[in-house]
Coordinates of all heavy atoms in Angstrom, one line a residue:
Q36 N -7.5 5.8 16.7 CA -6.6 6.7 16.1 C -6.4 6.3 14.6 O -6.3 5.2 14.3 CB -5.2 6.7 16.8 CG -4.2 7.6 16.2 CD -2.9 7.5 16.9 OE1 -2.6 6.5 17.6 NE2 -2.1 8.6 16.9
T37 N -6.5 7.3 13.7 CA -6.4 7.0 12.3 C -5.2 7.7 11.7 O -4.9 8.8 12.0 CB -7.7 7.6 11.5 OG1 -8.8 7.0 12.1 CG2 -7.6 7.3 10.1
L38 N -4.4 6.9 11.0 CA -3.2 7.4 10.3 C -3.5 7.3 8.8 O -3.8 6.3 8.3 CB -2.0 6.6 10.7 CG -0.7 7.0 10.1 CD1 -0.3 8.4 10.6 CD2 0.4 6.0 10.5
Q39 N -3.4 8.5 8.2 CA -3.7 8.5 6.7 C -2.5 9.1 6.0 O -2.0 10.1 6.4 CB -4.9 9.3 6.5 CG -5.9 8.7 5.6 CD -7.2 9.5 5.5 OE1 -7.4 10.4 6.2 NE2 -8.0 9.1 4.6
K40 N -2.1 8.6 4.9 CA -1.1 9.1 4.0 C -1.4 8.8 2.6 O -1.9 7.7 2.3 CB 0.2 8.4 4.4 CG 1.4 9.1 3.8 CD 2.0 10.0 4.9 CE 3.2 10.6 4.4 NZ 3.3 12.0 4.8
S41 N -1.3 9.8 1.7 CA -1.6 9.5 0.3 C -0.5 9.9 -0.6 O 0.3 10.8 -0.3 CB -2.9 10.2 -0.1 OG -2.7 11.6 0.0
H42 N -0.3 9.1 -1.6 CA 0.8 9.4 -2.6 C 0.2 9.2 -4.0 O -0.7 8.3 -4.2 CB 1.9 8.4 -2.5 CG 2.6 8.5 -1.2 ND1 3.6 9.4 -0.9 CD2 2.6 7.7 -0.1 CE1 4.0 9.2 0.3 NE2 3.4 8.2 0.9
G43 N 0.6 10.0 -5.0 CA 0.3 9.8 -6.4 C 1.2 8.7 -6.9 O 2.4 8.8 -6.8
I44 N 0.7 7.6 -7.4 CA 1.5 6.4 -7.8 C 1.2 6.0 -9.2 O 1.0 4.8 -9.5 CB 1.4 5.3 -6.8 CG1 -0.1 4.8 -6.6 CG2 2.0 5.6 -5.5 CD1 -0.3 3.6 -5.9
L45 N 1.1 6.9 -10.1 CA 0.8 6.5 -11.5 C 1.9 5.9 -12.3 O 1.7 5.3 -13.3 CB 0.2 7.8 -12.3 CG -1.1 8.3 -11.8 CD1 -1.5 9.5 -12.6 CD2 -2.2 7.2 -11.8
D46 N 3.1 6.1 -11.8 CA 4.3 5.4 -12.5 C 5.3 5.0 -11.4 O 5.1 5.2 -10.2 CB 4.9 6.3 -13.5 CG 5.4 7.6 -12.9 OD1 6.0 7.6 -11.8 OD2 5.4 8.6 -13.6
G47 N 6.4 4.4 -11.9 CA 7.4 3.9 -11.0 C 8.2 5.0 -10.3 O 9.0 4.7 -9.4
S48 N 8.0 6.2 -10.6 CA 8.8 7.3 -10.0 C 8.5 7.4 -8.5 O 9.4 7.9 -7.7 CB 8.5 8.6 -10.6 OG 7.2 9.0 -10.4
I49 N 7.4 6.9 -8.0 CA 7.2 6.9 -6.6 C 8.2 6.1 -5.8 O 8.5 6.4 -4.6 CB 5.7 6.4 -6.2 CG1 5.4 6.7 -4.8 CG2 5.6 4.9 -6.5 CD1 5.2 8.1 -4.4
V50 N 8.8 5.1 -6.4 CA 9.8 4.3 -5.7 C 11.0 5.2 -5.3 O 11.5 5.1 -4.2 CB 10.3 3.2 -6.6 CG1 11.5 2.4 -6.0 CG2 9.2 2.2 -6.9
E51 N 11.4 6.2 -6.1 CA 12.4 7.1 -5.7 C 12.0 8.0 -4.6 O 12.7 8.5 -3.8 CB 12.9 8.0 -6.9 CG 13.7 7.2 -7.9 CD 12.8 6.6 -9.0 OE1 11.8 7.3 -9.4 OE2 13.1 5.5 -9.4
T52 N 10.7 8.2 -4.5 CA 10.1 9.1 -3.5 C 10.0 8.4 -2.1 O 10.0 9.0 -1.1 CB 8.7 9.6 -3.9 OG1 8.9 10.2 -5.2 CG2 8.2 10.6 -2.9
I53 N 9.8 7.1 -2.2 CA 9.6 6.3 -1.0 C 10.8 6.4 0.0 O 10.6 6.6 1.2 CB 9.3 4.8 -1.3 CG1 8.0 4.7 -1.9 CG2 9.4 4.0 0.0 CD1 7.7 3.3 -2.4
S54 N 12.0 6.3 -0.5 CA 13.2 6.4 0.4 C 13.2 7.6 1.3 O 13.3 7.4 2.5 CB 14.5 6.2 -0.4 OG 14.5 5.0 -0.9
P55 N 13.1 8.8 0.8 CA 13.0 10.0 1.7 C 11.8 10.0 2.6 O 11.8 10.4 3.7 CB 13.0 11.2 0.7 CG 13.4 10.7 -0.6 CD 13.2 9.2 -0.6
K56 N 10.7 9.5 2.0 CA 9.4 9.5 2.8 C 9.5 8.5 3.9 O 8.8 8.6 4.9 CB 8.2 9.2 1.9 CG 7.9 10.2 0.9 CD 7.2 11.3 1.5 CE 6.8 12.3 0.4 NZ 6.3 13.6 1.0
E57 N 10.4 7.5 3.8 CA 10.4 6.5 4.9 C 10.8 7.1 6.2 O 10.3 6.7 7.3 CB 11.5 5.5 4.6 CG 11.1 4.5 3.5 CD 12.2 3.5 3.1 OE1 13.3 3.6 3.6 OE2 11.9 2.7 2.3
K58 N 11.5 8.2 6.2 CA 11.9 8.9 7.5 C 10.6 9.4 8.2 O 10.6 9.5 9.4 CB 12.8 10.1 7.2 CG 14.1 9.7 6.5 CD 14.9 8.8 7.5 CE 16.3 8.4 6.8 NZ 16.7 7.1 7.1
E59 N 9.6 9.7 7.4 CA 8.3 10.2 8.0 C 7.6 9.2 8.9 O 6.9 9.5 9.8 CB 7.4 10.7 6.9 CG 7.9 11.9 6.2 CD 6.9 12.4 5.1 OE1 5.7 12.0 5.1 OE2 7.3 13.2 4.3
T60 N 7.8 7.9 8.6 CA 7.2 6.9 9.4 C 8.0 6.3 10.5 O 7.6 5.6 11.3 CB 6.7 5.7 8.4 OG1 7.9 5.1 7.8 CG2 5.7 6.2 7.4
D61 N 9.3 6.7 10.5 CA 10.2 6.2 11.5 C 9.7 6.7 12.9 O 9.4 7.9 13.0 CB 11.7 6.8 11.3 CG 12.4 6.1 10.2 OD1 11.8 5.1 9.7 OD2 13.4 6.5 9.8
G62 N 9.6 5.8 13.8 CA 9.1 6.2 15.2 C 7.6 6.2 15.3 O 7.1 6.2 16.4
L63 N 6.9 6.1 14.2 CA 5.4 6.1 14.4 C 4.9 4.8 15.0 O 3.9 4.8 15.7 CB 4.7 6.3 13.0 CG 4.8 7.8 12.5 CD1 4.1 7.8 11.1 CD2 4.1 8.7 13.4
M64 N 5.6 3.7 14.7 CA 5.2 2.4 15.2 C 5.0 2.5 16.7 O 4.1 2.0 17.3 CB 6.2 1.4 14.8 CG 6.0 0.1 15.5 SD 5.0 -1.0 14.6 CE 5.6 -2.5 15.3
G65 N 6.0 3.1 17.4 CA 5.9 3.2 18.9 C 4.8 4.1 19.4 O 4.3 3.9 20.5
S66 N 4.3 5.0 18.5 CA 3.3 5.9 18.9 C 1.9 5.4 18.5 O 0.9 6.0 18.8 CB 3.5 7.3 18.3 OG 3.3 7.2 16.9
T67 N 1.8 4.2 17.9 CA 0.5 3.6 17.5 C 0.5 2.2 18.1 O 0.9 1.3 17.4 CB 0.4 3.6 15.9 OG1 1.5 2.9 15.4 CG2 0.3 5.0 15.3
P68 N -0.1 2.1 19.3 CA -0.1 0.8 19.9 C -1.0 -0.2 19.3 O -0.8 -1.4 19.4 CB -0.5 1.2 21.4 CG -1.3 2.4 21.3 CD -0.6 3.2 20.1
S69 N -2.1 0.3 18.7 CA -3.0 -0.7 18.1 C -2.5 -1.2 16.7 O -1.6 -0.6 16.1 CB -4.4 0.0 17.9 OG -4.3 1.1 17.1
Q70 N -3.1 -2.3 16.3 CA -2.7 -2.8 15.0 C -3.5 -2.2 13.9 O -4.7 -1.8 14.0 CB -2.9 -4.3 15.0 CG -2.0 -5.1 16.0 CD -2.2 -6.6 15.9 OE1 -3.3 -7.0 15.7 NE2 -1.1 -7.3 16.0
V71 N -2.9 -2.2 12.7 CA -3.6 -1.7 11.5 C -4.7 -2.7 11.1 O -4.4 -3.9 10.9 CB -2.6 -1.4 10.3 CG1 -3.3 -1.0 9.1 CG2 -1.6 -0.4 10.8
R72 N -5.9 -2.2 10.9 CA -7.0 -3.1 10.5 C -7.3 -3.0 9.0 O -8.0 -3.8 8.5 CB -8.2 -2.7 11.3 CG -8.1 -3.0 12.8 CD -9.4 -2.7 13.5 NE -9.8 -1.4 13.2 CZ -10.1 -0.4 14.0 NH1 -10.1 -0.7 15.3 NH2 -10.5 0.8 13.6
S73 N -6.9 -1.8 8.4 CA -7.3 -1.6 7.0 C -6.2 -0.8 6.3 O -5.7 0.2 6.8 CB -8.6 -0.8 7.0 OG -9.0 -0.5 5.7
I74 N -5.9 -1.3 5.1 CA -5.0 -0.5 4.2 C -5.7 -0.3 2.9 O -6.2 -1.3 2.3 CB -3.7 -1.4 3.9 CG1 -3.0 -1.7 5.2 CG2 -2.8 -0.6 2.9 CD1 -1.8 -2.7 5.1
Y75 N -5.8 1.0 2.5 CA -6.6 1.3 1.3 C -5.8 2.1 0.4 O -5.2 3.1 0.7 CB -7.8 2.1 1.8 CG -8.6 2.7 0.6 CD1 -9.4 1.8 -0.2 CD2 -8.6 4.0 0.3 CE1 -10.2 2.3 -1.2 CE2 -9.4 4.5 -0.7 CZ -10.1 3.7 -1.5 OH -10.9 4.2 -2.5
F76 N -5.7 1.6 -0.9 CA -5.0 2.3 -2.0 C -6.2 2.9 -2.8 O -6.9 2.1 -3.4 CB -4.2 1.4 -2.8 CG -2.9 0.9 -2.2 CD1 -2.9 0.2 -1.0 CD2 -1.7 1.2 -2.8 CE1 -1.7 -0.2 -0.5 CE2 -0.5 0.8 -2.3 CZ -0.5 0.1 -1.1
G77 N -6.3 4.2 -2.9 CA -7.4 4.7 -3.6 C -7.1 6.1 -4.1 O -6.1 6.8 -3.7
G78 N -8.0 6.6 -5.0 CA -7.8 8.0 -5.6 C -6.7 7.9 -6.6 O -5.6 7.4 -6.4
G79 N -7.0 8.5 -7.8 CA -6.0 8.6 -8.8 C -5.7 7.2 -9.5 O -4.7 7.1 -10.2
T80 N -6.6 6.3 -9.4 CA -6.5 5.0 -10.0 C -5.2 4.3 -9.7 O -4.3 4.2 -10.6 CB -6.8 5.0 -11.5 OG1 -7.9 5.9 -11.8 CG2 -7.1 3.7 -12.1
P81 N -4.9 3.9 -8.5 CA -3.7 3.3 -8.1 C -3.4 2.0 -8.9 O -2.2 1.6 -9.0 CB -3.8 3.0 -6.6 CG -5.2 3.0 -6.4 CD -5.8 4.0 -7.4
S82 N -4.4 1.4 -9.5 CA -4.1 0.2 -10.3 C -3.3 0.5 -11.6 O -2.7 -0.4 -12.2 CB -5.4 -0.5 -10.8 OG -6.2 0.4 -11.5
L83 N -3.1 1.8 -11.9 CA -2.2 2.1 -13.0 C -0.7 2.0 -12.6 O 0.2 2.0 -13.4 CB -2.4 3.6 -13.4 CG -3.7 3.8 -14.2 CD1 -3.9 5.3 -14.4 CD2 -3.8 3.0 -15.5
A84 N -0.4 2.0 -11.3 CA 1.0 1.9 -10.8 C 1.5 0.5 -11.1 O 0.8 -0.5 -11.1 CB 1.0 2.1 -9.3
P85 N 2.8 0.5 -11.4 CA 3.5 -0.8 -11.7 C 3.4 -1.7 -10.4 O 3.4 -1.2 -9.3 CB 4.9 -0.5 -12.0 CG 4.9 1.0 -12.4 CD 3.7 1.6 -11.6
I86 N 3.4 -3.0 -10.7 CA 3.3 -4.0 -9.6 C 4.5 -3.8 -8.6 O 4.3 -3.8 -7.4 CB 3.3 -5.4 -10.1 CG1 2.0 -5.7 -10.8 CG2 3.6 -6.5 -9.0 CD1 0.8 -5.7 -10.0
E87 N 5.7 -3.5 -9.1 CA 6.8 -3.3 -8.2 C 6.6 -2.1 -7.3 O 7.1 -2.1 -6.1 CB 8.1 -3.0 -9.1 CG 8.5 -4.2 -10.0 CD 7.6 -4.3 -11.2 OE1 7.1 -3.3 -11.7 OE2 7.5 -5.4 -11.8
T88 N 5.9 -1.1 -7.8 CA 5.7 0.1 -6.9 C 4.7 -0.3 -5.8 O 4.9 0.1 -4.6 CB 5.1 1.2 -7.8 OG1 6.0 1.6 -8.8 CG2 4.8 2.5 -6.9
L89 N 3.6 -1.0 -6.2 CA 2.6 -1.4 -5.2 C 3.3 -2.3 -4.1 O 3.1 -2.2 -2.9 CB 1.4 -2.1 -5.8 CG 0.6 -1.2 -6.8 CD1 -0.4 -2.1 -7.5 CD2 0.0 -0.1 -6.1
R90 N 4.1 -3.2 -4.6 CA 4.8 -4.1 -3.7 C 5.7 -3.4 -2.8 O 5.8 -3.7 -1.6 CB 5.6 -5.2 -4.5 CG 6.2 -6.3 -3.7 CD 6.9 -7.3 -4.6 NE 5.8 -8.1 -5.2 CZ 5.7 -8.3 -6.5 NH1 6.5 -7.6 -7.4 NH2 4.8 -9.0 -7.1
A91 N 6.5 -2.4 -3.3 CA 7.4 -1.6 -2.4 C 6.6 -0.8 -1.3 O 7.0 -0.8 -0.2 CB 8.2 -0.6 -3.3
I92 N 5.5 -0.3 -1.7 CA 4.7 0.5 -0.7 C 4.1 -0.4 0.3 O 4.2 -0.2 1.5 CB 3.6 1.3 -1.4 CG1 4.2 2.4 -2.3 CG2 2.6 1.9 -0.4 CD1 3.2 3.1 -3.2
L93 N 3.6 -1.6 -0.1 CA 3.0 -2.5 0.9 C 4.1 -3.1 1.8 O 3.9 -3.2 3.0 CB 2.4 -3.7 0.2 CG 0.9 -3.6 -0.1 CD1 0.4 -4.9 -0.8 CD2 0.1 -3.4 1.1
H94 N 5.3 -3.3 1.3 CA 6.4 -3.8 2.1 C 6.8 -2.8 3.2 O 7.0 -3.1 4.3 CB 7.6 -4.1 1.2 CG 8.8 -4.5 2.0 ND1 9.0 -5.7 2.5 CD2 9.9 -3.7 2.3 CE1 10.1 -5.7 3.2 NE2 10.7 -4.6 3.1
K95 N 6.8 -1.5 2.8 CA 7.1 -0.4 3.8 C 6.0 -0.4 4.8 O 6.4 -0.3 6.0 CB 7.2 0.9 3.0 CG 7.5 2.1 3.9 CD 8.8 1.9 4.6 CE 9.1 3.2 5.5 NZ 10.1 2.9 6.5
I96 N 4.8 -0.5 4.5 CA 3.7 -0.5 5.5 C 3.8 -1.7 6.4 O 3.8 -1.5 7.7 CB 2.3 -0.5 4.8 CG1 2.1 0.8 4.0 CG2 1.2 -0.8 5.8 CD1 0.9 0.8 3.1
Y97 N 4.0 -2.9 5.9 CA 4.2 -4.1 6.7 C 5.4 -4.0 7.6 O 5.5 -4.6 8.7 CB 4.1 -5.3 5.9 CG 2.7 -5.8 5.5 CD1 2.1 -5.4 4.4 CD2 2.0 -6.6 6.4 CE1 0.8 -5.7 4.1 CE2 0.7 -7.0 6.1 CZ 0.1 -6.6 4.9 OH -1.2 -6.9 4.6
S98 N 6.5 -3.4 7.1 CA 7.7 -3.2 7.9 C 7.6 -2.3 9.0 O 8.2 -2.5 10.1 CB 8.9 -2.8 7.0 OG 9.1 -3.7 6.0
D99 N 6.8 -1.2 8.8 CA 6.8 -0.1 9.8 C 5.6 -0.2 10.8 O 5.7 0.5 11.8 CB 6.7 1.2 9.1 CG 8.1 1.6 8.5 OD1 9.0 0.8 8.6 OD2 8.2 2.7 7.9
F100 N 4.6 -1.0 10.5 CA 3.4 -1.0 11.3 C 3.0 -2.4 11.6 O 3.3 -3.3 10.9 CB 2.2 -0.3 10.6 CG 2.5 1.2 10.3 CD1 3.0 1.5 9.1 CD2 2.4 2.1 11.3 CE1 3.3 2.9 8.8 CE2 2.7 3.5 11.0 CZ 3.1 3.8 9.8
R101 N 2.3 -2.6 12.7 CA 1.8 -3.9 13.1 C 0.4 -4.0 12.3 O -0.5 -3.3 12.6 CB 1.5 -4.0 14.6 CG 2.8 -4.0 15.4 CD 2.5 -4.2 16.9 NE 2.0 -2.9 17.4 CZ 2.7 -2.0 18.1 NH1 3.9 -2.2 18.3 NH2 2.1 -0.9 18.6
V102 N 0.4 -4.9 11.3 CA -0.8 -5.1 10.5 C -1.4 -6.4 11.0 O -0.7 -7.5 11.0 CB -0.4 -5.2 9.0 CG1 -1.6 -5.4 8.2 CG2 0.3 -3.9 8.6
R103 N -2.7 -6.4 11.3 CA -3.4 -7.6 11.7 C -3.4 -8.6 10.6 O -3.4 -8.3 9.4 CB -4.8 -7.2 12.1 CG -5.0 -6.4 13.3 CD -6.4 -5.9 13.5 NE -7.3 -7.0 13.4 CZ -8.4 -7.1 14.2 NH1 -8.6 -6.2 15.1 NH2 -9.2 -8.1 14.0
S104 N -3.4 -9.9 11.0 CA -3.4 -10.9 10.0 C -4.7 -11.0 9.2 O -4.7 -11.4 8.1 CB -3.1 -12.3 10.6 OG -4.2 -12.6 11.6
D105 N -5.8 -10.4 9.8 CA -7.0 -10.4 9.1 C -7.4 -9.0 8.5 O -8.5 -8.7 8.3 CB -8.2 -10.9 10.0 CG -8.4 -10.0 11.2 OD1 -7.5 -9.2 11.5 OD2 -9.4 -10.1 11.8
A106 N -6.3 -8.2 8.3 CA -6.5 -6.8 7.9 C -7.2 -6.8 6.5 O -6.9 -7.6 5.7 CB -5.2 -6.0 7.8
E107 N -8.0 -5.8 6.3 CA -8.6 -5.5 5.0 C -7.5 -4.7 4.2 O -7.1 -3.6 4.6 CB -9.9 -4.8 5.1 CG -10.5 -4.5 3.7 CD -11.8 -3.7 3.9 OE1 -12.0 -3.0 4.9 OE2 -12.6 -3.8 3.0
V108 N -7.1 -5.3 3.0 CA -6.1 -4.6 2.2 C -6.8 -4.5 0.8 O -6.9 -5.5 0.1 CB -4.8 -5.4 2.1 CG1 -3.7 -4.7 1.3 CG2 -4.3 -5.7 3.5
T109 N -7.1 -3.2 0.5 CA -7.9 -3.1 -0.7 C -7.3 -2.0 -1.6 O -6.5 -1.2 -1.2 CB -9.4 -2.6 -0.4 OG1 -9.3 -1.4 0.4 CG2 -10.1 -3.7 0.3
I110 N -7.6 -2.1 -2.9 CA -7.1 -1.2 -3.9 C -8.3 -0.8 -4.9 O -9.1 -1.7 -5.3 CB -5.9 -1.8 -4.7 CG1 -5.4 -0.8 -5.7 CG2 -6.3 -3.1 -5.4 CD1 -4.0 -1.2 -6.3
E111 N -8.4 0.5 -5.2 CA -9.4 1.0 -6.1 C -8.9 0.6 -7.5 O -7.7 0.9 -7.9 CB -9.4 2.5 -6.0 CG -10.8 3.1 -6.3 CD -10.8 4.6 -6.0 OE1 -11.0 4.9 -4.8 OE2 -10.6 5.4 -6.9
M112 N -9.7 0.0 -8.3 CA -9.3 -0.4 -9.7 C -10.4 -0.1 -10.7 O -11.5 -0.4 -10.5 CB -9.0 -1.9 -9.7 CG -7.8 -2.3 -8.8 SD -7.4 -4.0 -8.8 CE -6.6 -4.2 -10.4
D113 N -10.0 0.6 -11.8 CA -10.8 0.8 -12.9 C -10.7 -0.4 -13.8 O -9.6 -0.8 -14.2 CB -10.3 2.1 -13.6 CG -11.2 2.4 -14.9 OD1 -11.8 1.5 -15.5 OD2 -11.2 3.6 -15.2
P114 N -11.8 -1.1 -14.2 CA -11.7 -2.3 -14.9 C -10.9 -2.2 -16.2 O -10.4 -3.1 -16.7 CB -13.2 -2.6 -15.2 CG -13.9 -2.0 -14.2 CD -13.2 -0.7 -13.8
G115 N -10.8 -1.0 -16.8 CA -10.1 -0.8 -18.0 C -8.6 -0.6 -17.8 O -7.8 -0.4 -18.8
T116 N -8.1 -0.7 -16.6 CA -6.7 -0.4 -16.3 C -5.8 -1.6 -16.0 O -4.7 -1.5 -15.6 CB -6.5 0.6 -15.2 OG1 -7.0 0.1 -14.0 CG2 -7.2 1.9 -15.5
F117 N -6.4 -2.8 -16.0 CA -5.6 -4.0 -15.7 C -6.1 -5.2 -16.4 O -7.2 -5.2 -17.0 CB -5.7 -4.2 -14.1 CG -7.1 -4.6 -13.7 CD1 -7.5 -5.9 -13.5 CD2 -8.0 -3.6 -13.3 CE1 -8.8 -6.2 -13.1 CE2 -9.2 -3.8 -12.9 CZ -9.6 -5.1 -12.8
D118 N -5.2 -6.2 -16.5 CA -5.6 -7.5 -17.1 C -5.5 -8.6 -16.0 O -5.2 -8.3 -14.9 CB -4.6 -7.8 -18.3 CG -3.2 -7.8 -17.9 OD1 -2.8 -7.9 -16.7 OD2 -2.3 -7.8 -18.8
L119 N -5.8 -9.8 -16.5 CA -5.8 -10.9 -15.5 C -4.5 -11.1 -14.8 O -4.5 -11.4 -13.6 CB -6.3 -12.2 -16.2 CG -6.5 -13.4 -15.3 CD1 -7.5 -13.1 -14.2 CD2 -6.9 -14.6 -16.2
S120 N -3.4 -11.0 -15.5 CA -2.1 -11.2 -14.9 C -1.8 -10.1 -13.8 O -1.3 -10.5 -12.7 CB -0.9 -11.2 -15.9 OG -0.7 -10.0 -16.4
K121 N -2.2 -8.9 -14.0 CA -2.0 -7.9 -13.0 C -2.9 -8.1 -11.8 O -2.5 -8.0 -10.7 CB -2.3 -6.5 -13.6 CG -1.9 -5.4 -12.6 CD -1.7 -4.0 -13.2 CE -1.1 -3.1 -12.3 NZ -0.7 -1.8 -12.9
L122 N -4.2 -8.5 -12.1 CA -5.1 -8.9 -11.0 C -4.5 -10.0 -10.2 O -4.6 -9.9 -8.9 CB -6.5 -9.3 -11.6 CG -7.5 -9.7 -10.6 CD1 -7.8 -8.5 -9.6 CD2 -8.8 -10.1 -11.3
N123 N -4.0 -11.0 -10.8 CA -3.4 -12.2 -10.1 C -2.2 -11.7 -9.2 O -2.1 -12.1 -8.1 CB -3.0 -13.3 -11.0 CG -4.2 -14.0 -11.5 OD1 -5.2 -14.1 -10.9 ND2 -4.0 -14.6 -12.7
A124 N -1.4 -10.8 -9.8 CA -0.2 -10.3 -9.0 C -0.7 -9.5 -7.8 O -0.1 -9.6 -6.7 CB 0.7 -9.5 -9.9
I125 N -1.7 -8.7 -8.0 CA -2.3 -7.9 -6.9 C -2.8 -8.8 -5.8 O -2.6 -8.6 -4.6 CB -3.3 -6.9 -7.4 CG1 -2.6 -5.8 -8.1 CG2 -4.2 -6.4 -6.3 CD1 -3.4 -4.8 -8.9
R126 N -3.5 -9.9 -6.2 CA -4.0 -10.8 -5.2 C -2.9 -11.5 -4.5 O -3.0 -11.7 -3.3 CB -5.0 -11.8 -5.9 CG -6.2 -11.3 -6.5 CD -7.3 -11.1 -5.4 NE -7.7 -12.3 -4.9 CZ -8.1 -12.5 -3.6 NH1 -8.3 -11.4 -2.9 NH2 -8.5 -13.6 -3.1
E127 N -1.9 -11.9 -5.2 CA -0.7 -12.6 -4.6 C 0.0 -11.7 -3.6 O 0.6 -12.2 -2.6 CB 0.2 -13.1 -5.6 CG -0.3 -14.3 -6.4 CD 0.6 -14.6 -7.6 OE1 1.7 -14.1 -7.7 OE2 0.2 -15.4 -8.4
M128 N -0.1 -10.4 -3.7 CA 0.6 -9.5 -2.8 C -0.2 -9.4 -1.5 O 0.3 -8.8 -0.5 CB 0.7 -8.1 -3.4 CG 1.9 -7.9 -4.3 SD 2.0 -6.2 -4.7 CE 0.8 -6.0 -6.0
G129 N -1.4 -9.8 -1.5 CA -2.2 -9.8 -0.3 C -3.4 -8.9 -0.3 O -4.1 -8.7 0.7
F130 N -3.7 -8.3 -1.4 CA -4.9 -7.5 -1.5 C -6.1 -8.4 -1.5 O -6.1 -9.5 -2.1 CB -4.9 -6.6 -2.8 CG -4.0 -5.4 -2.8 CD1 -2.7 -5.5 -3.3 CD2 -4.4 -4.2 -2.3 CE1 -1.9 -4.4 -3.3 CE2 -3.6 -3.1 -2.3 CZ -2.3 -3.2 -2.8
N131 N -7.1 -8.0 -0.8 CA -8.3 -8.9 -0.7 C -9.5 -8.1 -1.1 O -10.6 -8.5 -1.2 CB -8.4 -9.5 0.7 CG -8.3 -8.4 1.8 OD1 -8.6 -7.3 1.6 ND2 -7.9 -8.9 3.0

């Protein structure tokens, strides 16, 4: 079973959108018995999103779903949209 959800996250405004959207994931955990093997942030250059936004979205995913300890957590990044400190912050969040 595949669960897919996409959001435009070019700025911090998505954080205000997350709260109402959280209701959409309520109860899904019980209907998805298997663990999440892959989390993918892609399309629209998600690396442009502020670190706090990415962190909030990942936190919501990890809170609402069973994510395997060896899950692939990836983000699409345009080399011109980040610096070393942003790359380090992304790695510290668990992106691999």
Side-chain angles (χ1 to χ4, degrees):
Q36 182 179 24
T37 300
L38 179 65
Q39 224 175 352
K40 193 95 175 141
S41 63
H42 297 282
I44 56 171
L45 293 181
D46 62 36
S48 66
I49 190 69
V50 174
E51 289 90 40
T52 306
I53 289 173
S54 292
K56 294 280 186 196
E57 287 177 356
K58 300 294 183 218
E59 293 179 16
T60 60
D61 289 350
L63 285 177
M64 170 90 154
S66 67
T67 54
S69 59
Q70 293 182 325
V71 174
R72 294 182 309 234
S73 177
I74 300 169
Y75 173 72
F76 285 60
T80 317
S82 58
L83 290 174
I86 290 299
E87 298 78 26
T88 301
L89 297 172
R90 188 174 287 119
I92 294 169
L93 268 181
H94 176 76
K95 179 64 179 157
I96 293 168
Y97 278 92
S98 295
D99 286 1
F100 300 96
R101 291 182 289 261
V102 179
R103 291 171 50 138
S104 62
D105 63 344
E107 180 181 24
V108 184
T109 56
I110 184 168
E111 208 173 281
M112 298 181 75
D113 178 335
T116 63
F117 63 94
D118 58 16
L119 185 57
S120 72
K121 188 160 191 172
L122 178 62
N123 287 334
I125 286 171
R126 294 280 297 151
E127 287 172 11
M128 277 189 280
F130 285 95
N131 48 28

